[in-house]
Amino acid sequence: MRVLGIETSCDETGVAIYDDEKGLVANQLYTQIALHADYGGVVPELASRDHIRKTAPLIQAALAEANLNAEDIDGIAYTAGPGLVGALLVGSTIARSLAYAWNLPAIGVHHMEGHLLAPMLEENAPRFPFIALLVSGGHTQLVKVDAVGQYQLLGESIDDAAGEAFDKTAKLLGLDYPGGAALSRLAQKGNPDRFIFPRPMTDRPGLDFSFSGLKTFAANTIAQVIQQESELTEQTKADIAYAFQQAVVETLAIKCRRALKETGLTRLVIAGGVSANKQLRQHLSELMQQLNGEVFYPQPQFCTDNGAMIAYAGLLRLKQGEQQDLAIEVKPRWSMTTLSPIVTI
């Protein structure tokens, strides 16, 4: 079975084709970073308009990459949520229209389930059950995963997601958009002994996160430095970036350790845009070595939003017989715990 996957939940247009025998046979991605850079963040209306321009050409490019025609496709998967409603509507409308024109089944995929299953695109895929840390610009969640579609939410951010806090703190430091990646690069030059940021919500029980306070702490630190030294040097920016990143990474690691201990599991999956962070990967790899466990990540190209994860997740559900009717429905907010389980893979 070959499935065409379309991802348009935010500011990346992703189109891919997944073959259940050959694996990933095409993967096309267009990012809107340059479009939104002048605004310091994603402008929903502009994102939607750019998806309209890019999705159809990327579908053609994916078919050409795989040396396939429309007749060779057996189903279409698209991101139905969560995400920006306008952006979701673009992808879902194109996907449903193609499915109708090509007489194919279509399935709306949960964006975060796509991220969670992205490590399954690797040869060394994790076995069930495991704990998943889903960490991105819009979400920070700890999920117990017993099988595809069998999810128990253990904890989530009560305010800013980790990636959102990265971007906001980067903006405070005057870094270019997208700020999270720029902050991580700057942190490599930081002095680890100059600033110490708090590890929020680690001094109390539970698995929820809170990162908005770290952004406020960074803002206060910047204000104090400017008051005392009249300027913010590049080295001071690097020192603050290091302290902020270290606080986020250690907070995530503490909560992962706690989740593994509470569930008795020894496998950890990290997915989402922030899972590409090198410091986070190193820290969690060291943690799992200490616990004699295993940790799994997607390739960096599959950490950010992409069509491959949507095609794969959609294939699993289409093979089970799930499909959407002609109605175009998107869900800007959508809990993964409402998804139906996959009986077989």
Side-chain angles (χ1 to χ4, degrees):
M1 185 177 195
R2 298 190 192 95
V3 173
L4 174 73
I6 300 173
E7 156 62 25
T8 63
S9 66
C10 190
D11 61 339
E12 266 99 22
T13 311
V15 176
I17 300 172
Y18 193 90
D19 187 312
D20 61 355
E21 294 183 356
K22 298 179 180 179
L24 188 64
V25 295
N27 185 39
Q28 297 286 323
L29 184 68
Y30 173 81
T31 180
Q32 300 177 1
I33 287 176
L35 176 66
H36 301 287
D38 290 342
Y39 304 94
V42 177
V43 181
E45 176 67 17
L46 295 180
S48 301
R49 290 178 180 274
D50 215 36
H51 286 310
I52 292 173
R53 286 189 288 266
K54 301 299 182 183
T55 304
L58 286 178
I59 292 171
Q60 294 174 328
L63 289 169
E65 180 186 350
N67 195 26
L68 299 173
N69 297 311
E71 295 79 11
D72 301 312
I73 302 299
D74 301 303
I76 298 178
Y78 59 93
T79 303
L84 301 175
V85 62
L88 293 169
L89 281 169
V90 173
S92 61
T93 301
I94 292 173
R96 277 270 17 132
S97 299
L98 283 179
Y100 180 76
W102 295 351
N103 193 29
L104 296 174
I107 184 73
V109 171
H110 193 292
H111 179 74
M112 297 311 294
E113 181 174 59
H115 275 304
L116 188 151
L117 297 177
M120 302 296 182
L121 297 169
E122 312 299 325
E123 290 185 6
N124 181 31
R127 293 179 291 109
F128 300 107
F130 55 77
I131 295 296
L133 173 65
L134 304 178
V135 55
S136 66
H139 299 83
T140 302
Q141 299 177 330
L142 275 168
V143 182
K144 182 175 181 286
V145 182
D146 291 310
V148 178
Q150 296 182 29
Y151 309 128
Q152 179 187 353
L153 181 63
L154 302 177
E156 61 184 340
S157 180
I158 61 175
D159 42 53
D160 290 354
E164 183 180 2
F166 262 95
D167 289 339
K168 288 181 177 179
T169 302
K171 194 169 185 177
L172 290 172
L173 291 171
L175 303 180
D176 292 335
Y177 174 84
L183 187 147
S184 295
R185 290 191 296 270
L186 182 61
Q188 296 175 9
K189 304 174 183 177
N191 177 359
D193 301 318
R194 185 173 178 189
F195 299 108
I196 302 295
F197 279 34
R199 277 56 174 162
M201 295 186 70
T202 58
D203 58 349
R204 66 188 76 176
L207 296 170
D208 285 334
F209 303 91
S210 173
F211 294 107
S212 65
L214 278 179
K215 174 199 64 180
T216 303
F217 195 92
N220 291 338
T221 301
I222 291 169
Q224 289 171 6
V225 170
I226 293 176
Q227 184 178 18
Q228 294 169 4
E229 303 177 9
S230 74
E231 65 174 343
L232 199 65
T233 66
E234 287 302 309
Q235 184 57 53
T236 297
K237 289 182 180 180
D239 296 342
I240 292 173
Y242 179 93
F244 172 83
Q245 177 175 260
Q246 198 66 14
V248 173
V249 166
E250 290 189 8
T251 297
L252 293 172
I254 289 169
K255 297 291 182 144
C256 286
R257 178 191 285 270
R258 192 177 292 176
L260 291 163
K261 182 178 180 180
E262 289 183 6
T263 60
L265 298 178
T266 58
R267 285 184 288 273
L268 179 66
V269 164
I270 318 297
V274 182
S275 68
N277 183 284
K278 294 180 180 179
Q279 185 65 19
L280 178 62
R281 289 191 174 215
Q282 178 181 342
H283 204 88
L284 291 177
S285 294
E286 292 172 355
L287 169 65
M288 296 310 291
Q289 286 178 359
Q290 296 170 10
L291 299 177
N292 294 318
E294 299 175 281
V295 62
F296 301 85
Y297 312 94
Q299 293 180 37
Q301 65 176 320
F302 300 132
C303 291
T304 56
D305 297 347
N306 63 88
M309 66 184 192
I310 302 303
Y312 178 75
L315 180 140
L316 297 182
R317 295 196 170 277
L318 286 169
K319 289 185 72 172
Q320 183 168 267
E322 295 183 35
Q323 66 180 80
Q324 315 298 152
D325 57 26
L326 285 174
I328 297 172
E329 180 184 8
V330 297
K331 301 176 182 178
R333 296 183 181 275
W334 187 9
S335 171
M336 275 204 309
T337 59
T338 64
L339 297 176
S340 60
I342 298 292
V343 178
T344 58
I345 296 181

